[in-house]
Amino acid sequence: MIIDAIIAVCLIASVLMQEGKSAGLGGLSGETDTVFSRKARGLDALLAKATVFFAILFGVITLVIAKMTA
């Protein structure tokens, strides 16, 4: 469970360190075209990959812990 908590903290940190998308809900109505056309570069791309990695790892470890305790 300690490893799961550490992975959760890493996942939260990787999400919070990403650059915010300033379009918000305005992108849904077509007010801006930069919501989906902007590619992540550099540190932002690394953080996006880290977020996916930590999310998958968190899910797998959580399922393993649930299976072990059931």
Side-chain angles (χ1 to χ4, degrees), residues 28-51:
L28 294 176
S29 64
E31 292 179 16
T32 180
D33 61 342
T34 60
V35 175
F36 298 108
S37 63
R38 192 174 74 116
K39 296 262 184 185
R41 291 195 170 94
L43 183 61
D44 220 15
L46 178 67
L47 288 172
K49 290 178 184 176
T51 300

